[in-house]
Amino acid sequence: MPAVAIVGLDCAFPGAPDPEAYWDLLMRGADAVGPIPDQRWDPREVPGGSRGAMTAGGFLDAADVFDNAFFAIAPREAAAMDPQQRLLLQCAWRALEDSGRAPRSLAGQGVGVFVGMMGSEWAQLHLPDHTRVNAQFGVGSTGAMAANRISHHLGLTGPSLVVDTACSSSLVAVHLAVNSLLSGECDLALAGGVNLVLTPSLGVVYGHLGLASAQGHCLPFGAEADGIVRSDGVGLVALRRLEDALADRQPVHAVIRGTAVNQDGRSNGITAPNPWAQQAVLEAAYRRAGVTADQIRFVETHGTGTVLGDMLEARALGLVHGVERELPCAIGSVKGNLGHTEGAAGIAGLIKAALSLRHRMVPASRFGHQENRQLRLADRGLSLLKAPLRLAPGEVLAGVSSFGIGGTNAHAVLAAPPRPEPVRRPRRTDGAVGCGVFTLTGDTPEALRRNLAAAAESIGRRPRGEAASLCWSSNRVKTGLAYRAAVVAGDTVELAGRLRAAAEDELLRAGIAERPGRKPVTVFLFSGEGAACAGMTARLYGEHEVYRRLLGEADAALGPYLGVGVRDLLLAGDERAARGALARPAQFAVGYALAGTLRELGVQPAGVLGHGVGEYAAAVHAGALDLDAAARLLAAHALPERADFASVAGTVTPAVPALPFASTLRGRLLLDEELDAAYWSAQAFTAVHFHEAFAALNESLAPTHVVEIGARIDLLDQLAGADLAEGGRLLAASPGPDAGARALAELVAELYLAGLDPAWEACYPAEQRTLERLVPYAFSAETRYWKRPWASPQLAPQAPPAAAPAAAPRTIAQSAAAARPEDQVTRLVIEAVREVGDYEAHRVTPATRLYQDLGFDSVMLMQLKDVLEARMPQMADISVQQLLPALNSVATIAEFLNEWITVQVAVEPVGRS
């Protein structure tokens, strides 16, 4: 079968909050099993007669932590959600980031979501109390929502489903995702599983089945193995067809060569393993993968540590792998470290195997030194891993098994990731280091600060090297949220330092960060001869391939008419490019190439202005003059007499600028006026009206950013006192004659902070556009949700203030005659919104949007209407259809209600009770 690549992953297991910590735990052979936390239950409350009552397990340290505001989920809804759904949401985001994609960029795409889960103990805990069941709790306890929430909040439109095959659920989910990819049903899939141990009930069941470990540990294939211990876990992998991943140059953790799923059928009992079925599922997976058993170097087994389970799994493995082979097949099980993560067990094993293949090292199997000799592993061609196994160079294959207690078996064949093709990095002769723009976004200023600090710490651990590939990766992955940060750096040491400084910025610590509300309005000012200088932009030519290409285009256009190459003059530092007849063509070439470079970087001008010779480049970029025509005019101006220039100008095809064009000849904006022979003849020999032209451009467009296009700053100095739009900025594409690629990067960074979405592809040469894995998004850990009560379906309205003894009760409409109704109504709407969602006070203001900022849904909207009706009886006559158009923000609701109240005041006598 065609192969599937694991391009991204994320996980959290006991003692390991992320993949890096998970690998560290495995390599250290650490034990993540411990006492039952007070947050779960008190073991003393479990009846003493219950067999197998749990006394230990593997528990996540922060299963109650959830950054609900990041996903625009109301606190009340978050409190009602199964924590498994919360864990999966954050895990999905980080897995997609790890795959090299900005999760928000996938909205509307057919990405599949496949989740394995063994039911919901959260629902078991709370469904029996009917007095507390409400709409949010009903949705929050539904198993299908574990996958559906991911699809909903990220806007993914591919298959979205939850599968429950007990302990094999998550590996079966991977199997389904692989088949979905290979059938063309989706092009990217998230697959994995989750498990949370919230009650002692299943542990008691295991005790009655004789599966629970009395010693509180799983000892896979161990002589003293006596059963399982339950554990938490969550893990997801991002999958793509291998050919697609390689075509996009995505890093690959490992390759899935084949998967298979089958069932025990009729066996000794529904919970009894069937070794013949286990043998069959391994053989089926190997057939699909096109491999033979002797090629499998190691298997991450189901390995629960139950006496019967280990014996039958060893028999099945031996039936398949007990063939003539150079080395025995190494086996191990992560359950020795974590315990049994049940619905997440398959993904725990898959991620362990994938990391082993990527690192080319298989961790030892904890308790492997206590091997049960009665299993005769060596006789069966097997070897229990007692020490880490270093994998040989070349292709390495591995197997992963996961078996459900009801008989559904799954197996996957993995291969080491293909070696990426070496990237050809041209040798630099100018000593320059490739720089880039490192971008980060967060949903709040504090989130931005937190992630800047995390990125600085992570990059600071890297050896010194170029930062461009890291910057390119951040542009692909770390964009899409409301608040933005951007720093320019040449190497990793500088990058870490600048990120650290940005995180410690006093304004950011005070909660002030860049949150662009609209795209920047940028105008280009093309410098005249005053900006010309010898050797101008020579450094930029050596450092930026886009500028290099465009300057070559201008040189090729000018050469036939000038008889000399302006590019060679510029690079040689020849004074003729700064003074004399060739200065104007040289300045044009620089302006043409600089503006073209910015446009390819995604900076599109809203309008243009050219000073003197700069007007030629402005006209070209406004679409009123083609490059060849501009070259003819410039050569004529540089070499022939005035009469000859007019003759050449007559050959130019007149055209109207496609952009607002501020003419320094006319001192105003041109309105549907052609730049014809008469215009160019006058322009070449007439004084300029720069300030008048800029004033017209500024008044018409109110630009937020004015960018001078020239070899050095000239025109901006003349605009120091200009009346720009509030916050307007004066910027230069090349601040000085020695400016290089860094200056352009700084310009792009500033415009990005203002709302520009640059064309990042053009910011880096091909050899720097290599994805590197970045530290995953650091979610807020400030909000926690656990077994707290939530509101009943009918949200109780707040009691109105007590009326003065002499006054009769008044409705809001009657109060409007004596008070400012806007203030009172807005306050009531804010209070109602806060009550419905259980929001903190700072989250709800008049400008707060119900859908985008608070995550309101149809259920919450109906609850809001009920609360408002209880506080404002006049609303009883308002239909849902009438209210819907006003449900954009708190302010729009208040405005609608004030209009409604105004009508009531007009018809209702004041003082009526």
Side-chain angles (χ1 to χ4, degrees):
M1 62 178 266
V4 168
I6 300 175
V7 293
L9 57 83
D10 187 65
C11 62
F13 294 110
D18 54 50
E20 184 177 353
Y22 184 40
W23 180 247
D24 177 68
L25 178 145
L26 293 170
M27 287 304 296
R28 288 187 292 109
D31 182 5
V33 174
I36 299 170
D38 294 340
Q39 188 186 51
R40 304 300 175 100
W41 70 86
D42 187 343
R44 295 171 298 182
E45 296 178 359
V46 181
S50 296
R51 298 176 58 187
M54 286 180 62
T55 58
F59 300 97
L60 293 174
D61 291 333
D64 58 341
V65 170
F66 179 50
D67 192 353
N68 61 290
F70 180 89
F71 295 100
I73 294 176
R76 189 178 302 282
E77 184 174 9
M81 284 170 59
D82 186 335
Q84 294 181 119
Q85 298 180 21
R86 306 180 209 146
L87 290 171
L88 283 166
L89 273 174
Q90 297 186 167
C91 187
W93 183 278
R94 290 159 64 110
L96 288 171
E97 280 197 337
D98 190 57
S99 75
R101 301 293 297 272
R104 292 273 187 240
S105 71
L106 298 170
Q109 297 186 28
V111 179
V113 181
F114 302 82
V115 173
M117 203 170 85
M118 263 181 64
S120 170
E121 294 190 0
W122 181 260
Q124 296 171 21
L125 281 171
H126 298 94
L127 276 177
D129 188 352
H130 295 171
T131 63
R132 289 186 173 181
V133 174
N134 61 15
Q136 284 90 350
F137 177 72
V139 173
S141 300
T142 303
M145 292 297 169
N148 299 162
R149 276 195 192 275
I150 296 172
S151 300
H152 170 73
H153 284 286
L154 299 184
L156 312 179
T157 60
S160 182
L161 57 93
V162 170
V163 58
D164 181 1
T165 60
C167 315
S168 59
S169 297
S170 54
L171 197 58
V172 171
V174 171
H175 168 78
L176 295 175
V178 167
N179 287 338
S180 181
L181 285 164
L182 297 182
S183 70
E185 189 175 44
C186 60
D187 296 320
L188 172 65
L190 285 168
V194 65
N195 195 66
L196 274 182
V197 181
L198 302 182
T199 80
S201 300
L202 191 54
V204 174
V205 171
Y206 288 161
H208 284 286
L209 289 171
L211 301 176
S213 169
Q215 58 187 306
H217 278 93
C218 295
L219 278 67
F221 309 105
E224 298 180 8
D226 67 343
I228 63 175
V229 59
R230 302 186 65 206
S231 296
D232 300 340
V234 60
L236 289 170
V237 291
L239 305 175
R240 291 192 73 190
R241 290 180 289 271
L242 179 61
E243 59 182 343
D244 296 338
L246 295 180
D248 287 348
R249 298 175 62 188
Q250 282 183 283
V252 175
H253 288 283
V255 175
I256 300 178
R257 292 277 295 270
T259 63
V261 170
N262 73 0
Q263 231 286 333
D264 285 351
R266 186 79 175 178
S267 62
N268 290 337
I270 193 168
T271 62
N274 184 338
W276 317 116
Q278 293 179 13
Q279 174 189 357
V281 80
L282 266 67
E283 292 172 340
Y286 296 164
R287 283 196 303 272
R288 296 192 73 186
V291 304
T292 55
D294 61 293
Q295 295 175 274
I296 304 297
R297 185 65 188 91
F298 70 94
V299 173
E300 172 63 20
T301 68
H302 187 56
T304 56
T306 62
V307 175
L308 181 63
D310 283 358
M311 179 183 69
L312 296 181
E313 185 171 10
R315 180 187 300 174
L317 287 166
L319 290 171
V320 177
H321 292 280
V323 296
E324 184 175 344
R325 52 191 305 146
E326 184 177 347
L327 294 169
C329 178
I331 63 171
S333 172
V334 73
K335 294 179 181 65
N337 304 91
L338 305 179
H340 194 345
T341 53
E342 299 172 332
I347 197 65
L350 186 82
I351 291 176
K352 175 188 172 183
L355 293 176
S356 298
L357 290 166
R358 194 183 90 193
H359 291 287
R360 304 195 77 84
M361 178 75 73
V362 188
S365 187
R366 183 169 171 80
F367 303 114
H369 60 283
Q370 301 179 19
E371 179 179 336
N372 183 353
R373 301 298 175 185
Q374 295 182 6
L375 297 177
R376 298 186 297 109
L377 297 180
D379 296 341
R380 302 179 190 274
L382 308 172
S383 173
L384 185 60
L385 281 167
K386 300 174 179 62
L389 171 66
R390 185 175 299 279
L391 299 175
E395 185 180 55
V396 179
L397 299 175
V400 180
S401 291
S402 193
F403 307 141
I405 195 172
T408 299
N409 309 305
H411 191 78
V413 179
L414 272 61
R419 295 187 63 179
E421 294 184 11
V423 177
R424 300 193 176 198
R425 298 185 182 273
R427 178 179 296 176
R428 295 185 178 274
T429 58
D430 54 9
V433 176
C435 69
V437 182
F438 192 95
T439 52
L440 271 176
T441 57
D443 63 312
T444 66
E446 172 55 28
L448 186 61
R449 189 202 65 77
R450 186 172 60 247
N451 279 276
L452 283 167
E457 195 275 332
S458 174
I459 293 170
R461 296 199 304 265
R462 290 173 176 253
R464 188 170 203 144
E466 287 195 5
S469 293
L470 288 169
C471 293
W472 155 250
S473 302
S474 75
N475 306 152
R476 289 258 309 202
V477 177
K478 298 292 187 177
T479 55
L481 302 178
Y483 293 90
R484 297 184 173 193
V487 300
V488 174
D491 63 36
T492 52
V493 173
E494 181 189 12
L495 178 55
R498 297 198 70 178
L499 289 170
R500 193 174 298 111
E504 295 170 356
D505 179 77
E506 291 184 5
L507 289 176
L508 185 56
R509 284 187 172 275
I512 301 172
E514 298 288 349
R515 183 180 185 177
R518 59 170 185 154
K519 304 293 184 186
V521 179
T522 305
V523 297
F524 286 178
L525 306 187
F526 291 82
S527 307
E529 290 179 77
C533 54
M536 53 186 174
T537 70
R539 181 176 180 181
L540 179 61
Y541 182 89
E543 294 179 358
H544 206 291
E545 65 177 9
V546 177
Y547 182 78
R548 194 158 49 243
R549 170 170 51 80
L550 292 173
L551 188 67
E553 288 181 7
D555 180 65
L558 289 163
Y561 303 108
L562 294 175
V564 64
V566 295
R567 176 179 56 187
D568 294 338
L569 298 179
L570 291 170
L571 298 181
D574 196 310
E575 288 291 336
R576 287 180 294 170
R579 282 179 278 283
L582 296 176
R584 292 170 67 86
Q587 181 66 10
F588 164 80
V590 168
Y592 168 81
L594 269 178
T597 299
L598 285 178
R599 297 187 76 167
E600 290 200 23
L601 297 180
V603 185
Q604 301 301 333
V608 296
L609 178 154
H611 186 287
V613 68
E615 199 154 69
Y616 290 93
V620 171
H621 282 284
L625 199 62
D626 64 44
L627 181 57
D628 183 70
R632 295 201 310 274
L633 288 172
L634 284 157
H637 192 211
L639 303 177
E641 297 295 327
R642 182 167 185 166
D644 296 324
F645 180 87
S647 175
V648 174
T651 67
V652 174
T653 303
V656 175
L659 293 173
F661 189 93
S663 168
T664 53
L665 171 65
R666 306 274 167 79
R668 60 176 174 80
L669 284 177
L670 299 185
L671 302 175
D672 297 325
E673 300 171 55
E674 292 182 334
L675 302 186
D676 54 16
Y679 182 91
W680 292 114
S681 296
Q683 193 273 350
F685 303 100
T686 305
V688 301
H689 302 283
F690 170 67
H691 288 284
E692 296 87 343
F694 179 77
L697 187 69
N698 189 36
E699 181 180 3
S700 175
L701 298 180
T704 60
H705 295 79
V706 178
V707 181
E708 180 167 1
I709 307 295
R712 61 181 177 182
I713 294 175
D714 179 38
L715 302 180
L716 297 186
D717 289 339
Q718 303 178 43
L719 297 178
D723 185 20
L724 298 177
E726 183 179 357
R729 298 274 292 154
L730 300 176
L731 306 173
S734 176
D738 294 329
R742 179 178 284 262
L744 281 183
E746 295 281 5
L747 176 60
V748 170
E750 177 151 352
L751 291 172
Y752 170 76
L753 293 177
L756 176 73
D757 292 320
W760 296 115
E761 292 265 346
C763 294
Y764 308 86
E767 67 271 10
Q768 293 177 347
R769 295 197 297 268
T770 302
L771 276 171
E772 297 197 34
R773 301 194 189 279
L774 303 172
V775 65
Y777 190 84
F779 290 100
S780 171
E782 294 181 0
T783 49
R784 294 174 177 265
Y785 301 96
W786 205 243
K787 301 176 185 177
R788 50 165 289 187
W790 45 82
S792 59
Q794 295 297 322
L795 299 173
Q798 295 182 359
R810 297 187 300 175
T811 65
I812 294 294
Q814 294 165 340
S815 300
R820 293 178 62 191
E822 293 81 9
D823 291 345
Q824 192 169 5
V825 171
T826 300
R827 177 178 58 79
L828 286 173
V829 173
I830 288 174
E831 291 173 354
V833 169
R834 285 189 59 202
E835 182 177 334
V836 169
D838 197 22
Y839 300 103
E840 295 181 4
H842 72 276
R843 288 293 312 281
V844 186
T845 68
T848 301
R849 300 169 299 177
L850 269 64
Y851 300 106
Q852 297 95 323
D853 299 332
L854 300 180
F856 259 58
D857 57 21
S858 58
V859 172
M860 296 175 71
L861 292 175
M862 292 305 300
Q863 290 175 337
L864 178 62
K865 187 174 185 296
D866 291 342
V867 173
L868 288 171
E869 283 183 6
R871 299 184 181 191
M872 303 174 65
Q874 301 84 352
M875 278 197 61
D877 297 328
I878 300 176
S879 68
V880 174
Q881 288 73 20
Q882 289 173 305
L883 187 60
L884 279 176
L887 295 175
N888 181 44
S889 68
V890 169
T892 57
I893 297 174
E895 181 181 357
F896 170 80
L897 293 179
N898 273 309
E899 292 178 359
W900 188 271
I901 289 169
T902 300
V903 175
Q904 294 264 335
V905 171
V907 299
E908 185 179 351
V910 175
R912 191 178 98 189
S913 59

